[in-house]
Amino acid sequence: MKVLIDLTPIYGRKATGVELYAIDLYKALIKSSHIVIPVFHVENTIDNNHESIIIKKTPRLLLENIILPKVVKNIKADVAIFPIFPPPINVYGKDIKIVPVLHDLAYLKYRSTLNVAAKYYLTPKMNRALKKATAIITISETVKSDASKITKLPIYNCGENIAEMYKGCSNLARLDHLRRWGIEPKKYIISVSTIEPRKNFKYLLKVIKPLLEKKHLKLVLVGRKGWGKDKELRFLIEEMKDLLIFTEYIDWKYLVSLYHFAYAFVLLSIDEGFGRTPFEALACGCKKIILSDIPIFRETFKEDALFLPLYDVSKCKKICLKEDIPEVTDKIKVPFDILERNIPSVLNEIEMIK
């Protein structure tokens, strides 16, 4: 079977969760028995696959809506997978099976948190995919359950991978990396995500402030600043400026050290499809994990994290100040090879769809 995978969105973008997932999915496909044809924009930065299709530099709207559909139809693959952005609206046809990856349903459940491009450009494409695609791949049982309520298409949960480079990476952590920000081991809490409304950053600041002050900790925030304007948020940042460290994007070796030496990791998102960064922290040796009490984190971390309720700042403050943060037990395993294990059987099932 010939499997095409759209990797064009990787070019010129920082590798956040969906991009890393796409790369891991591609690597899992390569290890299958199928012919894999990756489509890149400008360059293949992953490997030397001789099947690669490279589209020359093209404006995004033209690339995604004109050039990419032509490539997909001309290649005549059996299956085309779209792991980052939803498929072009004009790519569907009886000669090829179109399979998008649905990372979450935040675009429907929390529409007000979306930026303009996601709201008016990507959302209609995903809505069409939920009707016209051959099947849907998801990354967790939580997303699969949510999606089953809005589409009749076959849905396959392939899970989420943590990149292999995190295996044994605790050995790479270095104390001198912390000097860059003037922090000491176990004297800071780390959070890694795009700072945008769905990640609930303002709520996090309100909740975590008393704990930071009581234990004389800093809050280290890794990731790009996203969208959204909020006067209260700006005030909180200014008020807490001596407690906050914004790193923006950093080299992976520094991220490993920040994870490893942190007092705890925290992520209080209002919604996640999987939540890769808590597992990255765990892989790097951070054993104390603080998460919002939402279904996906209960699915992935069971009872092995400190879960904080959403929409109750007062209760969260009391929990943080009163309870010791539990350490994650050995029952929770970092999912390094789940895609490699699940993809072959899912492709076989998709191949059988008429």
Side-chain angles (χ1 to χ4, degrees):
M1 185 166 68
K2 291 171 66 175
V3 181
L4 180 149
I5 180 169
D6 173 29
L7 297 176
T8 58
I10 290 175
Y11 176 73
R13 291 166 58 89
K14 296 290 186 180
T16 58
V18 292
E19 291 84 10
L20 292 172
Y21 172 89
I23 293 169
D24 287 340
L25 177 59
Y26 169 60
K27 291 179 178 178
L29 287 169
I30 287 292
K31 294 179 180 179
S32 72
S33 60
H34 304 287
I35 298 171
V36 181
I37 306 167
V39 182
F40 293 95
H41 184 208
V42 180
E43 59 182 340
N44 177 351
T45 58
I46 300 175
D47 61 13
N48 297 312
N49 186 346
H50 69 277
E51 299 283 355
S52 298
I53 303 295
I54 299 178
I55 300 172
K56 67 180 182 180
K57 192 168 185 179
T58 306
R60 178 179 175 182
L61 290 178
L62 181 61
L63 169 71
E64 295 176 0
N65 300 291
I66 305 297
I67 305 301
L68 181 59
K70 286 183 178 179
V71 169
V72 172
K73 291 177 180 178
N74 289 339
I75 292 301
K76 293 181 170 53
D78 299 291
V79 175
I81 299 176
F82 295 82
I84 300 177
F85 293 149
I89 61 173
N90 55 345
V91 78
Y92 302 96
K94 61 182 179 180
D95 297 327
I96 186 169
K97 294 174 180 177
I98 302 298
V99 181
V101 175
L102 182 63
H103 291 271
D104 58 57
L105 273 87
Y107 79 99
L108 293 178
K109 294 190 291 184
Y110 303 101
R111 182 175 168 83
S112 63
T113 71
L114 303 180
N115 61 16
V116 173
K119 190 178 293 184
Y120 298 108
Y121 176 64
L122 297 177
T123 293
K125 287 186 173 185
M126 183 53 78
N127 286 339
R128 183 173 177 81
L130 292 173
K131 295 178 181 178
K132 297 291 186 178
T134 303
I136 304 290
I137 287 176
T138 65
I139 63 175
S140 66
E141 286 300 310
T142 298
V143 177
K144 181 178 179 179
S145 176
D146 288 344
S148 66
K149 299 170 185 174
I150 61 171
T151 182
K152 296 180 180 179
L153 299 177
I155 306 171
Y156 302 99
N157 170 26
C158 287
E160 168 75 284
N161 252 36
I162 305 304
E164 285 189 8
M165 63 185 182
Y166 281 98
K167 284 186 177 180
C169 65
S170 288
N171 298 327
L172 304 177
R174 290 171 45 182
L175 278 171
D176 61 300
H177 286 163
L178 303 187
R179 295 175 190 161
R180 182 172 174 179
W181 298 280
I183 51 180
E184 298 178 6
K186 308 302 179 184
K187 292 295 183 180
Y188 62 93
I189 293 174
I190 185 172
S191 187
V192 180
S193 69
T194 299
I195 300 169
E196 49 101 342
R198 185 162 57 96
K199 301 301 182 179
N200 217 10
F201 179 51
K202 183 168 68 173
Y203 189 75
L204 168 61
L205 294 185
K206 291 178 179 179
V207 166
I208 211 74
K209 183 183 176 185
L211 179 61
L212 298 177
E213 292 174 334
K214 179 182 178 180
K215 291 187 174 292
H216 306 290
L217 302 171
K218 301 279 189 180
L219 177 61
V220 175
L221 297 145
V222 181
R224 71 178 176 88
K225 295 179 181 177
W227 52 92
K229 296 180 180 179
D230 189 311
K231 291 182 180 179
E232 184 183 14
L233 176 56
R234 289 201 299 269
F235 174 80
L236 276 170
I237 292 173
E238 177 62 26
E239 182 184 50
M240 295 176 63
K241 61 183 179 182
D242 293 335
L243 301 173
L244 304 179
I245 297 173
F246 292 91
T247 71
E248 295 286 336
Y249 279 112
I250 56 175
D251 187 275
W252 180 74
K253 64 183 180 182
Y254 286 96
L255 178 58
V256 169
S257 296
L258 285 175
Y259 274 141
H260 181 79
F261 293 111
Y263 170 76
F265 171 90
V266 63
L267 186 62
L268 300 185
S269 305
I270 58 176
D271 187 77
E272 290 283 345
F274 181 84
R276 173 187 288 256
T277 54
F279 277 112
E280 290 179 354
L282 182 60
C284 291
C286 180
K287 295 291 189 179
K288 295 184 177 183
I289 307 294
I290 306 171
L291 301 170
S292 50
D293 197 353
I294 57 177
I296 183 56
F297 289 145
R298 289 289 184 175
E299 177 185 334
T300 54
F301 273 83
K302 313 304 180 188
E303 302 299 323
D304 264 356
L306 178 62
F307 292 99
L308 298 181
L310 294 174
Y311 316 116
D312 194 334
V313 173
S314 178
K315 185 175 181 178
C316 288
K317 287 179 178 179
K318 290 178 181 178
I319 292 172
C320 286
L321 291 175
K322 181 180 179 181
E323 297 184 17
D324 289 331
I325 302 171
E327 289 197 354
V328 175
T329 68
D330 292 338
K331 292 186 295 183
I332 303 299
K333 304 297 183 183
V334 179
F336 286 116
D337 59 355
I338 193 167
L339 283 174
E340 185 178 335
R341 287 189 279 113
N342 289 341
I343 276 295
S345 61
V346 169
L347 286 178
N348 289 340
E349 292 196 40
I350 291 173
E351 187 177 18
M352 298 298 291
I353 298 174
K354 301 297 183 181

